[in-house]
Amino acid sequence: AGTSWDILLNKGDTVGNVKQVVKENFQVIDIDLFDTDKATINDLKATKQIICYFSAGSKEGWRPDAGDFKDGDTGKGLDGWPDENWVNVKSENVRNIMKKRIKLAADNGCTAIDPDNVDGFDGNQDGYGYDKKEYADYVKFMAQEAANNNLAIGLKNAVDLIPDVVDVIQFAVNEQCHEYPGECEKYKPLTDANKAVFNIEY
C-alpha cells in the first residue's frame, strides 16, 4: 500500500485552510513554507510528516525574501505566472537564498522540502540556456543542504533529472504524469529504490 497524502498550497491564505486538515487521516501533507506558521506545523506533526514547499527555480515577487535577489539573479518570466521569474541556478546569491529557506524549513519543524521549478532547462524556459546538468547540480546542492539540516528532499516534476539525482533525493512529487504517455514510467528508478512518488492529477 502507498502512503496517503495531501497537498495544500494557496498563495497568501494557507494557514486557515491547513488548520482545517490537522485531524484528517492522511500520513503526509505538502504545505507552503512561507504561508504556514510554525504553530500550525507543530500541530500537524503530531500525526503527519510535513513537506514544506517553496519555489527553488523562480523568484516570486510576493515572498518575504524577494528583495534578497540581485540584478542578474532572474531570467525570463514564468509563462502564465505574473510577478514570477526563473532564477539563475548557478548564482551564489540565489543558492544562499535557498540555504536560508532550507534552514527556515528546518527551524519551523518541517520534515522535508519540496523545491519547485527545477526544470528551467526544458526548452530554455529560464533564458540562461542551461541544460539539465546545471539543474542536476542545483538539486544536488539543495539535497546536501537539506541533509545538513536533517531534512528529506523531493524532486518536483523534472523527470529528466531522475537518473542524475535519484541517489540524493528521498521522494518525488509529480503533477499529471498520467496525462503524458510514458512519463509515469520514468519514476521506476525511485519506486525500485522504495522511494515514494506523490502524484497530483488535476
Side-chain angles (χ1 to χ4, degrees):
T3 300
S4 59
W5 84 298
D6 197 3
I7 183 167
L8 188 54
L9 306 176
N10 183 19
K11 186 174 78 174
D13 186 36
T14 305
V15 173
N17 291 332
V18 170
K19 286 183 183 298
Q20 297 173 24
V21 301
V22 167
K23 294 182 180 179
E24 289 191 13
N25 188 27
F26 47 82
Q27 297 160 285
V28 177
I29 187 167
D30 194 335
I31 55 177
D32 192 279
L33 172 63
F34 292 108
D35 290 345
T36 313
D37 61 24
K38 191 172 183 177
T40 302
I41 291 173
N42 190 56
D43 288 344
L44 289 164
K45 281 185 77 172
T47 57
K48 298 168 181 53
Q49 298 294 312
I50 315 299
I51 302 172
C52 288
Y53 167 97
F54 62 89
S55 181
S58 70
K59 172 191 173 184
E60 300 163 307
W62 61 91
R63 297 301 191 182
D65 60 0
D68 293 343
F69 290 91
K70 298 178 180 177
D71 291 344
D73 283 343
T74 55
K76 289 181 179 178
L78 269 72
D79 189 27
W81 298 94
D83 200 20
E84 187 169 0
N85 291 78
W86 294 97
V87 298
N88 182 352
V89 298
K90 294 175 71 173
S91 162
E92 183 178 355
N93 185 57
V94 168
R95 293 187 176 211
N96 284 334
I97 291 168
M98 298 309 148
K99 279 185 182 181
K100 292 176 184 176
R101 291 183 176 186
I102 292 167
K103 185 177 186 304
L104 176 64
D107 290 346
N108 282 1
C110 309
T111 49
I113 55 170
D114 173 20
D116 197 6
N117 296 312
V118 291
D119 56 356
F121 61 89
D122 189 4
N124 190 29
Q125 297 178 86
D126 60 9
Y128 291 104
Y130 295 152
D131 61 23
K132 67 177 185 176
K133 178 183 176 183
E134 281 85 6
Y135 277 82
D137 180 73
Y138 188 48
V139 171
K140 290 175 182 178
F141 150 74
M142 289 188 288
Q144 184 59 59
E145 287 301 315
N148 292 346
N149 285 275
N150 297 311
L151 295 170
I153 183 173
L155 178 69
K156 183 68 157 286
N157 298 321
V159 292
D160 291 334
L161 295 184
I162 291 172
D164 297 311
V165 303
V166 63
D167 292 337
V168 300
I169 61 173
Q170 287 72 55
F171 63 95
V173 178
N174 171 269
E175 293 174 293
Q176 295 180 271
C177 72
H178 293 283
E179 187 173 324
Y180 305 101
E183 183 168 300
C184 294
E185 286 74 14
K186 292 184 178 181
Y187 285 96
K188 193 171 187 299
L190 277 93
T191 55
D192 284 350
N194 202 30
K195 296 181 179 183
V197 179
F198 298 109
N199 175 242
I200 308 164
E201 295 295 327
Y202 300 111

